Amino acid sequence: MSMKIVSFKQDPKQSKFDQLFSIQEAKSVKAFHESLPNYKATPLQELKRLSSELGVKGIYVKDESYRFGLNAFKGLGGSYALAKVIANTLNISLDDVQQVKPNTFTFVTATDGNHGRGVAWAAQNLQQKAVVYMPKGSAQERLDNIRKLGATAEITDLNYDDTVRFAKEQADINGWTLVQDTAWPGYEEIPAWIMQGYMTLALEAVEALGDVKPTHIFLQAGVGAMAGALTGFFHDIYQTELPVITYVEPNQADCLFKTAEANDGKLHAVEGDLDSIMAGLCCGEVCTVGWEQIRQHGSHFVSCPDFIAADGMRVLGNPLPGDTPIISGESGAVTTGLVYNLLTKPEFITYKEQIGLSDNSVILCISTEGDTDKENYRRVVWEGAYPKQ
Ligand SMILES: Cc1ncc(COP(=O)(O)O)c(C=O)c1O
């Protein structure tokens, strides 16, 4: 399937969630993360040689493979949400959640890997229990990494969205707390905390950028929770000078793209196996809380074939001399892969113009994961799998 783009007519109506994604909230969430023992801001790499090669003013990539030793950004959401659940349930402050009796809570979630690993890690830190369900086709390595953190974990026979429903049923039956990284009507408080957790990476990026202001931000999306949180935050930072934000999804699971394309006030889902190498982005149903930010401030939506992600993995892992290599997995690399294709391939020139990329552009991408599936990483980067079709 080829690449598709849709430019979006924003809906300026404010949402009740807007204040959750303010600079002030981001600062207090980051202060929480800073209190965790192994907190360290992840690097923001300026790829100077790549930007001059591709004819733009700047390309910056935030490397989330360094996050908490978890090889992906997702632990930011899990750690903040678990602490908030405990603090709210027991009516204690976030500073006191470490003192809670072990095994008081059982947290349950569905995951393609990264979120479940983050929840398992956060539960282990707090000496609480975690149960994790994964969709069919999940990589054994990702399951093993979750089990290593002490969680009970298994791969189901369901696709991602049905695995989420299964996790919810298990929570209802067993009296566990569902900590899901997507929201739907009636289930929005915990996902909103998870989303707030993601703001730490955006605040770190803004701090590292200093006086540099991006003109274009590319955000990959599964359900759009991360993209929504960052959109709200960037809007609060940049206000009327908000950079052009483009959302990037695999074309097998492009629920935000379909929602933007229809632009009829409804959310549009994608069903079926959602088969793409971008496992973290293989989600068919849009996160309601995320969409409230995206519909207000988003500009473009791109639906991508797998080779775009593969290109990004190769470009980031094998940089021009002088640029720092970034080990970026399928879901992490797709935005840089898109930027590379837009700026080098004549067949994408109209897309490049549509997004408004020029020699004055300063681009920010987030490499949201490292090589979380090492076998596939080598297949792509060493063996050249997923060449351009
Ligand atoms: C590596 C990676 N990047 C991006 C995402 C997308 O996040 P969201 O589902 O909030 O859109 C995920 C989600 O699991 C992920 O694992």
Side-chain angles (χ1 to χ4, degrees):
M1 256 196 274
S2 57
M3 195 150 87
K4 288 182 290 185
I5 183 168
V6 63
S7 296
F8 184 64
K9 187 170 177 313
Q10 296 166 353
D11 170 6
K13 192 160 88 2
Q14 290 190 336
S15 126
K16 62 177 176 186
F17 302 113
D18 291 354
Q19 73 271 19
L20 296 181
F21 305 109
S22 66
I23 305 163
Q24 273 325 103
E25 287 287 318
K27 283 185 178 161
S28 84
V29 175
K30 184 163 171 273
F32 165 79
H33 285 130
E34 283 166 354
S35 76
L36 300 179
N38 47 358
Y39 170 82
K40 194 165 186 282
T42 57
L44 180 75
Q45 303 295 358
E46 182 182 2
L47 303 179
K48 284 194 179 147
R49 287 291 311 275
L50 185 65
S51 56
S52 65
E53 184 77 16
L54 301 186
V56 289
K57 198 163 162 195
I59 297 179
Y60 294 81
V61 179
K62 175 95 170 141
D63 184 356
E64 286 295 306
S65 70
Y66 287 92
R67 186 65 67 187
F68 296 132
L70 297 172
N71 217 4
F73 77 102
K74 283 259 160 175
L76 289 170
S79 57
Y80 187 63
L82 261 58
K84 286 289 281 187
V85 168
I86 294 175
N88 271 33
T89 311
L90 303 179
N91 206 9
I92 57 175
S93 93
L94 276 185
D95 298 333
D96 294 331
V97 293
Q98 289 285 352
Q99 322 309 330
V100 170
K101 199 160 123 267
N103 303 328
T104 310
F105 291 83
T106 299
F107 297 103
V108 59
T109 194
T111 183
D112 45 73
N114 294 322
H115 168 64
R117 193 173 176 186
V119 167
W121 170 77
Q124 188 180 54
N125 287 343
L126 294 165
Q127 295 182 276
Q128 305 301 319
K129 290 190 200 155
V131 180
V132 178
Y133 298 108
M134 303 179 74
K136 68 177 164 192
S138 295
Q140 185 66 37
E141 180 184 353
R142 294 190 171 127
L143 175 67
D144 293 343
N145 280 329
I146 292 168
R147 287 186 172 153
K148 273 185 214 153
L149 291 164
T152 305
E154 67 180 79
I155 298 176
T156 66
D157 197 24
L158 306 166
N159 78 6
Y160 173 77
D161 303 282
D162 288 334
T163 310
V164 172
R165 279 182 269 278
F166 180 72
K168 182 184 178 317
E169 275 164 31
Q170 293 305 308
D172 293 343
I173 293 167
N174 296 297
W176 298 338
T177 306
L178 180 71
V179 184
Q180 200 52 58
D181 54 346
T182 187
W184 53 84
Y187 180 73
E188 289 176 326
E189 187 176 46
I190 292 175
W193 289 330
I194 293 175
M195 291 171 64
Q196 287 189 298
Y198 301 155
M199 289 194 293
T200 290
L201 82 86
L203 180 52
E204 286 173 3
V206 167
E207 286 170 354
L209 282 166
D211 292 339
V212 175
K213 189 183 153 300
T215 60
H216 291 78
I217 300 176
F218 290 82
L219 299 173
Q220 55 277 72
V223 298
M226 189 272 297
L230 269 55
T231 297
F233 169 80
F234 285 129
H235 174 259
D236 203 42
I237 289 269
Y238 296 118
Q239 298 284 328
T240 52
E241 292 182 20
L242 182 67
V244 172
I245 305 184
T246 302
Y247 306 91
V248 187
E249 292 169 285
N251 52 20
Q252 300 293 329
D254 54 357
C255 51
L256 278 90
F257 177 90
K258 292 212 158 51
T259 298
E261 190 179 41
N263 204 359
D264 58 3
K266 296 190 201 114
L267 300 178
H268 291 261
V270 178
E271 286 168 7
D273 282 349
L274 313 175
D275 186 20
S276 157
I277 59 168
M278 295 168 252
L281 311 184
C282 282
C283 314
E285 295 176 25
V286 178
C287 168
T288 51
V289 180
W291 181 253
E292 289 297 301
Q293 299 308 307
I294 293 170
R295 68 159 175 79
Q296 291 183 65
H297 311 300
S299 292
H300 308 284
F301 295 77
V302 177
S303 172
C304 281
D306 281 349
F307 81 83
I308 301 282
D311 280 352
M313 293 162 76
R314 291 186 279 263
V315 168
L316 289 170
N318 306 274
L320 292 164
D323 284 352
T324 305
I326 297 173
I327 307 287
S328 183
E330 300 78 355
S331 301
V334 65
T335 46
T336 308
L338 175 64
V339 167
Y340 171 73
N341 273 278
L342 291 175
L343 295 174
T344 56
K345 303 287 158 58
E347 64 268 35
F348 296 134
I349 188 108
T350 52
Y351 292 1
K352 173 184 162 183
E353 287 167 1
Q354 202 168 332
I355 293 176
L357 291 170
S358 72
D359 52 2
N360 267 324
S361 297
V362 177
I363 294 166
L364 173 64
C365 293
I366 322 284
S367 175
T368 49
E369 68 175 350
D371 53 349
T372 54
D373 179 351
K374 292 194 171 45
E375 214 177 296
N376 200 53
Y377 185 84
R378 281 194 289 267
R379 215 176 298 139
V380 171
V381 176
W382 289 10
E383 297 173 16
Y386 304 97
K388 185 171 176 340
Q389 293 104 343

PDB file of all heavy atoms in Angstrom, residues 164-187:
ATOM      1  N   VAL A 164      -7.415  -5.302  24.737  1.00  0.00           N
ATOM      2  CA  VAL A 164      -7.772  -4.257  25.706  1.00  0.00           C
ATOM      3  C   VAL A 164      -9.119  -4.607  26.365  1.00  0.00           C
ATOM      4  O   VAL A 164      -9.263  -4.549  27.592  1.00  0.00           O
ATOM      5  CB  VAL A 164      -7.862  -2.868  25.024  1.00  0.00           C
ATOM      6  CG1 VAL A 164      -8.426  -1.822  25.984  1.00  0.00           C
ATOM      7  CG2 VAL A 164      -6.489  -2.435  24.507  1.00  0.00           C
ATOM      8  N   ARG A 165     -10.089  -5.031  25.546  1.00  0.00           N
ATOM      9  CA  ARG A 165     -11.403  -5.393  26.115  1.00  0.00           C
ATOM     10  C   ARG A 165     -11.265  -6.566  27.078  1.00  0.00           C
ATOM     11  O   ARG A 165     -11.873  -6.593  28.137  1.00  0.00           O
ATOM     12  CB  ARG A 165     -12.401  -5.724  24.997  1.00  0.00           C
ATOM     13  CG  ARG A 165     -13.020  -4.479  24.382  1.00  0.00           C
ATOM     14  CD  ARG A 165     -14.041  -4.815  23.306  1.00  0.00           C
ATOM     15  NE  ARG A 165     -13.410  -4.879  21.997  1.00  0.00           N
ATOM     16  CZ  ARG A 165     -13.149  -3.816  21.232  1.00  0.00           C
ATOM     17  NH1 ARG A 165     -13.486  -2.616  21.644  1.00  0.00           N
ATOM     18  NH2 ARG A 165     -12.562  -3.941  20.074  1.00  0.00           N
ATOM     19  N   PHE A 166     -10.401  -7.518  26.714  1.00  0.00           N
ATOM     20  CA  PHE A 166     -10.178  -8.689  27.574  1.00  0.00           C
ATOM     21  C   PHE A 166      -9.553  -8.248  28.913  1.00  0.00           C
ATOM     22  O   PHE A 166      -9.978  -8.705  29.983  1.00  0.00           O
ATOM     23  CB  PHE A 166      -9.251  -9.676  26.839  1.00  0.00           C
ATOM     24  CG  PHE A 166      -8.956 -10.909  27.623  1.00  0.00           C
ATOM     25  CD1 PHE A 166      -9.927 -11.881  27.829  1.00  0.00           C
ATOM     26  CD2 PHE A 166      -7.694 -11.104  28.186  1.00  0.00           C
ATOM     27  CE1 PHE A 166      -9.645 -13.031  28.569  1.00  0.00           C
ATOM     28  CE2 PHE A 166      -7.407 -12.243  28.920  1.00  0.00           C
ATOM     29  CZ  PHE A 166      -8.389 -13.210  29.116  1.00  0.00           C
ATOM     30  N   ALA A 167      -8.573  -7.368  28.851  1.00  0.00           N
ATOM     31  CA  ALA A 167      -7.932  -6.884  30.087  1.00  0.00           C
ATOM     32  C   ALA A 167      -8.961  -6.186  30.980  1.00  0.00           C
ATOM     33  O   ALA A 167      -8.959  -6.351  32.204  1.00  0.00           O
ATOM     34  CB  ALA A 167      -6.779  -5.935  29.743  1.00  0.00           C
ATOM     35  N   LYS A 168      -9.864  -5.440  30.350  1.00  0.00           N
ATOM     36  CA  LYS A 168     -10.901  -4.749  31.132  1.00  0.00           C
ATOM     37  C   LYS A 168     -11.824  -5.759  31.822  1.00  0.00           C
ATOM     38  O   LYS A 168     -12.157  -5.612  32.996  1.00  0.00           O
ATOM     39  CB  LYS A 168     -11.718  -3.815  30.224  1.00  0.00           C
ATOM     40  CG  LYS A 168     -12.764  -3.060  31.018  1.00  0.00           C
ATOM     41  CD  LYS A 168     -13.659  -2.203  30.175  1.00  0.00           C
ATOM     42  CE  LYS A 168     -14.713  -1.500  31.011  1.00  0.00           C
ATOM     43  NZ  LYS A 168     -15.369  -2.283  32.046  1.00  0.00           N
ATOM     44  N   GLU A 169     -12.187  -6.808  31.068  1.00  0.00           N
ATOM     45  CA  GLU A 169     -13.047  -7.849  31.667  1.00  0.00           C
ATOM     46  C   GLU A 169     -12.358  -8.483  32.869  1.00  0.00           C
ATOM     47  O   GLU A 169     -12.963  -8.702  33.915  1.00  0.00           O
ATOM     48  CB  GLU A 169     -13.297  -8.963  30.643  1.00  0.00           C
ATOM     49  CG  GLU A 169     -14.444  -8.690  29.685  1.00  0.00           C
ATOM     50  CD  GLU A 169     -14.366  -9.623  28.474  1.00  0.00           C
ATOM     51  OE1 GLU A 169     -13.873 -10.778  28.591  1.00  0.00           O
ATOM     52  OE2 GLU A 169     -14.767  -9.147  27.406  1.00  0.00           O
ATOM     53  N   GLN A 170     -11.072  -8.786  32.703  1.00  0.00           N
ATOM     54  CA  GLN A 170     -10.320  -9.399  33.793  1.00  0.00           C
ATOM     55  C   GLN A 170     -10.272  -8.471  35.009  1.00  0.00           C
ATOM     56  O   GLN A 170     -10.354  -8.919  36.143  1.00  0.00           O
ATOM     57  CB  GLN A 170      -8.893  -9.754  33.343  1.00  0.00           C
ATOM     58  CG  GLN A 170      -8.829 -10.852  32.298  1.00  0.00           C
ATOM     59  CD  GLN A 170      -9.536 -12.129  32.746  1.00  0.00           C
ATOM     60  OE1 GLN A 170      -9.272 -12.657  33.830  1.00  0.00           O
ATOM     61  NE2 GLN A 170     -10.473 -12.607  31.959  1.00  0.00           N
ATOM     62  N   ALA A 171     -10.119  -7.186  34.754  1.00  0.00           N
ATOM     63  CA  ALA A 171     -10.110  -6.205  35.855  1.00  0.00           C
ATOM     64  C   ALA A 171     -11.455  -6.239  36.580  1.00  0.00           C
ATOM     65  O   ALA A 171     -11.504  -6.300  37.819  1.00  0.00           O
ATOM     66  CB  ALA A 171      -9.833  -4.805  35.312  1.00  0.00           C
ATOM     67  N   ASP A 172     -12.555  -6.242  35.805  1.00  0.00           N
ATOM     68  CA  ASP A 172     -13.895  -6.243  36.419  1.00  0.00           C
ATOM     69  C   ASP A 172     -14.133  -7.521  37.221  1.00  0.00           C
ATOM     70  O   ASP A 172     -14.638  -7.492  38.341  1.00  0.00           O
ATOM     71  CB  ASP A 172     -14.982  -6.101  35.340  1.00  0.00           C
ATOM     72  CG  ASP A 172     -14.931  -4.730  34.667  1.00  0.00           C
ATOM     73  OD1 ASP A 172     -14.298  -3.824  35.243  1.00  0.00           O
ATOM     74  OD2 ASP A 172     -15.490  -4.579  33.564  1.00  0.00           O
ATOM     75  N   ILE A 173     -13.743  -8.671  36.653  1.00  0.00           N
ATOM     76  CA  ILE A 173     -13.990  -9.958  37.313  1.00  0.00           C
ATOM     77  C   ILE A 173     -13.175 -10.081  38.604  1.00  0.00           C
ATOM     78  O   ILE A 173     -13.662 -10.531  39.631  1.00  0.00           O
ATOM     79  CB  ILE A 173     -13.621 -11.140  36.364  1.00  0.00           C
ATOM     80  CG1 ILE A 173     -14.575 -11.181  35.167  1.00  0.00           C
ATOM     81  CG2 ILE A 173     -13.620 -12.487  37.099  1.00  0.00           C
ATOM     82  CD1 ILE A 173     -14.102 -12.092  34.038  1.00  0.00           C
ATOM     83  N   ASN A 174     -11.910  -9.659  38.543  1.00  0.00           N
ATOM     84  CA  ASN A 174     -10.988  -9.922  39.659  1.00  0.00           C
ATOM     85  C   ASN A 174     -10.806  -8.753  40.618  1.00  0.00           C
ATOM     86  O   ASN A 174     -10.054  -8.860  41.589  1.00  0.00           O
ATOM     87  CB  ASN A 174      -9.607 -10.306  39.107  1.00  0.00           C
ATOM     88  CG  ASN A 174      -9.666 -11.611  38.317  1.00  0.00           C
ATOM     89  OD1 ASN A 174      -9.986 -12.655  38.873  1.00  0.00           O
ATOM     90  ND2 ASN A 174      -9.381 -11.534  37.025  1.00  0.00           N
ATOM     91  N   GLY A 175     -11.432  -7.642  40.324  1.00  0.00           N
ATOM     92  CA  GLY A 175     -11.257  -6.467  41.187  1.00  0.00           C
ATOM     93  C   GLY A 175      -9.871  -5.847  41.046  1.00  0.00           C
ATOM     94  O   GLY A 175      -9.342  -5.246  41.984  1.00  0.00           O
ATOM     95  N   TRP A 176      -9.261  -5.998  39.869  1.00  0.00           N
ATOM     96  CA  TRP A 176      -7.958  -5.383  39.623  1.00  0.00           C
ATOM     97  C   TRP A 176      -8.155  -3.972  39.064  1.00  0.00           C
ATOM     98  O   TRP A 176      -9.257  -3.605  38.656  1.00  0.00           O
ATOM     99  CB  TRP A 176      -7.164  -6.202  38.588  1.00  0.00           C
ATOM    100  CG  TRP A 176      -6.847  -7.613  38.998  1.00  0.00           C
ATOM    101  CD1 TRP A 176      -6.795  -8.102  40.269  1.00  0.00           C
ATOM    102  CD2 TRP A 176      -6.550  -8.704  38.119  1.00  0.00           C
ATOM    103  NE1 TRP A 176      -6.471  -9.447  40.243  1.00  0.00           N
ATOM    104  CE2 TRP A 176      -6.315  -9.835  38.936  1.00  0.00           C
ATOM    105  CE3 TRP A 176      -6.443  -8.850  36.728  1.00  0.00           C
ATOM    106  CZ2 TRP A 176      -5.985 -11.077  38.404  1.00  0.00           C
ATOM    107  CZ3 TRP A 176      -6.112 -10.085  36.201  1.00  0.00           C
ATOM    108  CH2 TRP A 176      -5.886 -11.195  37.026  1.00  0.00           C
ATOM    109  N   THR A 177      -7.079  -3.209  39.027  1.00  0.00           N
ATOM    110  CA  THR A 177      -7.156  -1.863  38.457  1.00  0.00           C
ATOM    111  C   THR A 177      -6.619  -1.870  37.032  1.00  0.00           C
ATOM    112  O   THR A 177      -5.448  -2.215  36.808  1.00  0.00           O
ATOM    113  CB  THR A 177      -6.325  -0.863  39.295  1.00  0.00           C
ATOM    114  OG1 THR A 177      -6.758  -0.945  40.649  1.00  0.00           O
ATOM    115  CG2 THR A 177      -6.490   0.563  38.783  1.00  0.00           C
ATOM    116  N   LEU A 178      -7.490  -1.512  36.092  1.00  0.00           N
ATOM    117  CA  LEU A 178      -7.064  -1.433  34.689  1.00  0.00           C
ATOM    118  C   LEU A 178      -6.248  -0.156  34.485  1.00  0.00           C
ATOM    119  O   LEU A 178      -6.711   0.939  34.794  1.00  0.00           O
ATOM    120  CB  LEU A 178      -8.292  -1.417  33.775  1.00  0.00           C
ATOM    121  CG  LEU A 178      -7.995  -1.332  32.274  1.00  0.00           C
ATOM    122  CD1 LEU A 178      -7.408  -2.644  31.753  1.00  0.00           C
ATOM    123  CD2 LEU A 178      -9.263  -0.982  31.492  1.00  0.00           C
ATOM    124  N   VAL A 179      -5.020  -0.334  33.976  1.00  0.00           N
ATOM    125  CA  VAL A 179      -4.164   0.838  33.697  1.00  0.00           C
ATOM    126  C   VAL A 179      -3.877   0.814  32.205  1.00  0.00           C
ATOM    127  O   VAL A 179      -2.845   0.317  31.748  1.00  0.00           O
ATOM    128  CB  VAL A 179      -2.855   0.765  34.499  1.00  0.00           C
ATOM    129  CG1 VAL A 179      -2.033   2.028  34.271  1.00  0.00           C
ATOM    130  CG2 VAL A 179      -3.151   0.610  35.964  1.00  0.00           C
ATOM    131  N   GLN A 180      -4.834   1.334  31.446  1.00  0.00           N
ATOM    132  CA  GLN A 180      -4.727   1.221  29.988  1.00  0.00           C
ATOM    133  C   GLN A 180      -4.275   2.543  29.385  1.00  0.00           C
ATOM    134  O   GLN A 180      -4.731   3.601  29.800  1.00  0.00           O
ATOM    135  CB  GLN A 180      -6.075   0.780  29.413  1.00  0.00           C
ATOM    136  CG  GLN A 180      -5.951   0.182  28.043  1.00  0.00           C
ATOM    137  CD  GLN A 180      -4.899  -0.938  28.013  1.00  0.00           C
ATOM    138  OE1 GLN A 180      -4.998  -1.908  28.735  1.00  0.00           O
ATOM    139  NE2 GLN A 180      -3.860  -0.775  27.210  1.00  0.00           N
ATOM    140  N   ASP A 181      -3.417   2.437  28.381  1.00  0.00           N
ATOM    141  CA  ASP A 181      -2.853   3.647  27.773  1.00  0.00           C
ATOM    142  C   ASP A 181      -3.715   4.169  26.635  1.00  0.00           C
ATOM    143  O   ASP A 181      -3.216   4.746  25.672  1.00  0.00           O
ATOM    144  CB  ASP A 181      -1.416   3.402  27.308  1.00  0.00           C
ATOM    145  CG  ASP A 181      -1.317   2.201  26.380  1.00  0.00           C
ATOM    146  OD1 ASP A 181      -2.288   1.403  26.293  1.00  0.00           O
ATOM    147  OD2 ASP A 181      -0.261   2.039  25.729  1.00  0.00           O
ATOM    148  N   THR A 182      -5.002   3.919  26.736  1.00  0.00           N
ATOM    149  CA  THR A 182      -5.943   4.553  25.815  1.00  0.00           C
ATOM    150  C   THR A 182      -7.254   4.796  26.556  1.00  0.00           C
ATOM    151  O   THR A 182      -7.571   4.095  27.524  1.00  0.00           O
ATOM    152  CB  THR A 182      -6.179   3.720  24.542  1.00  0.00           C
ATOM    153  OG1 THR A 182      -6.972   4.491  23.646  1.00  0.00           O
ATOM    154  CG2 THR A 182      -6.875   2.394  24.836  1.00  0.00           C
ATOM    155  N   ALA A 183      -7.992   5.796  26.107  1.00  0.00           N
ATOM    156  CA  ALA A 183      -9.222   6.184  26.798  1.00  0.00           C
ATOM    157  C   ALA A 183     -10.428   5.946  25.912  1.00  0.00           C
ATOM    158  O   ALA A 183     -10.308   5.911  24.682  1.00  0.00           O
ATOM    159  CB  ALA A 183      -9.146   7.674  27.147  1.00  0.00           C
ATOM    160  N   TRP A 184     -11.571   5.771  26.533  1.00  0.00           N
ATOM    161  CA  TRP A 184     -12.845   5.699  25.817  1.00  0.00           C
ATOM    162  C   TRP A 184     -13.896   6.324  26.741  1.00  0.00           C
ATOM    163  O   TRP A 184     -13.617   6.526  27.939  1.00  0.00           O
ATOM    164  CB  TRP A 184     -13.177   4.244  25.439  1.00  0.00           C
ATOM    165  CG  TRP A 184     -13.135   3.262  26.573  1.00  0.00           C
ATOM    166  CD1 TRP A 184     -14.117   2.985  27.476  1.00  0.00           C
ATOM    167  CD2 TRP A 184     -12.019   2.417  26.935  1.00  0.00           C
ATOM    168  NE1 TRP A 184     -13.703   2.019  28.367  1.00  0.00           N
ATOM    169  CE2 TRP A 184     -12.416   1.651  28.061  1.00  0.00           C
ATOM    170  CE3 TRP A 184     -10.727   2.221  26.430  1.00  0.00           C
ATOM    171  CZ2 TRP A 184     -11.576   0.729  28.683  1.00  0.00           C
ATOM    172  CZ3 TRP A 184      -9.890   1.299  27.047  1.00  0.00           C
ATOM    173  CH2 TRP A 184     -10.321   0.560  28.156  1.00  0.00           C
ATOM    174  N   PRO A 185     -15.080   6.638  26.223  1.00  0.00           N
ATOM    175  CA  PRO A 185     -16.067   7.299  27.074  1.00  0.00           C
ATOM    176  C   PRO A 185     -16.303   6.486  28.354  1.00  0.00           C
ATOM    177  O   PRO A 185     -16.547   5.280  28.290  1.00  0.00           O
ATOM    178  CB  PRO A 185     -17.324   7.339  26.197  1.00  0.00           C
ATOM    179  CG  PRO A 185     -16.779   7.329  24.793  1.00  0.00           C
ATOM    180  CD  PRO A 185     -15.553   6.472  24.831  1.00  0.00           C
ATOM    181  N   GLY A 186     -16.173   7.100  29.492  1.00  0.00           N
ATOM    182  CA  GLY A 186     -16.354   6.407  30.763  1.00  0.00           C
ATOM    183  C   GLY A 186     -15.058   5.891  31.355  1.00  0.00           C
ATOM    184  O   GLY A 186     -15.025   5.495  32.522  1.00  0.00           O
ATOM    185  N   TYR A 187     -13.988   5.854  30.594  1.00  0.00           N
ATOM    186  CA  TYR A 187     -12.683   5.427  31.129  1.00  0.00           C
ATOM    187  C   TYR A 187     -11.625   6.433  30.663  1.00  0.00           C
ATOM    188  O   TYR A 187     -11.009   6.267  29.604  1.00  0.00           O
ATOM    189  CB  TYR A 187     -12.333   4.000  30.660  1.00  0.00           C
ATOM    190  CG  TYR A 187     -10.990   3.519  31.181  1.00  0.00           C
ATOM    191  CD1 TYR A 187     -10.829   3.171  32.529  1.00  0.00           C
ATOM    192  CD2 TYR A 187      -9.880   3.437  30.348  1.00  0.00           C
ATOM    193  CE1 TYR A 187      -9.590   2.762  33.013  1.00  0.00           C
ATOM    194  CE2 TYR A 187      -8.641   3.019  30.823  1.00  0.00           C
ATOM    195  CZ  TYR A 187      -8.515   2.691  32.157  1.00  0.00           C
ATOM    196  OH  TYR A 187      -7.289   2.287  32.645  1.00  0.00           O
TER     197      TYR A 187
END
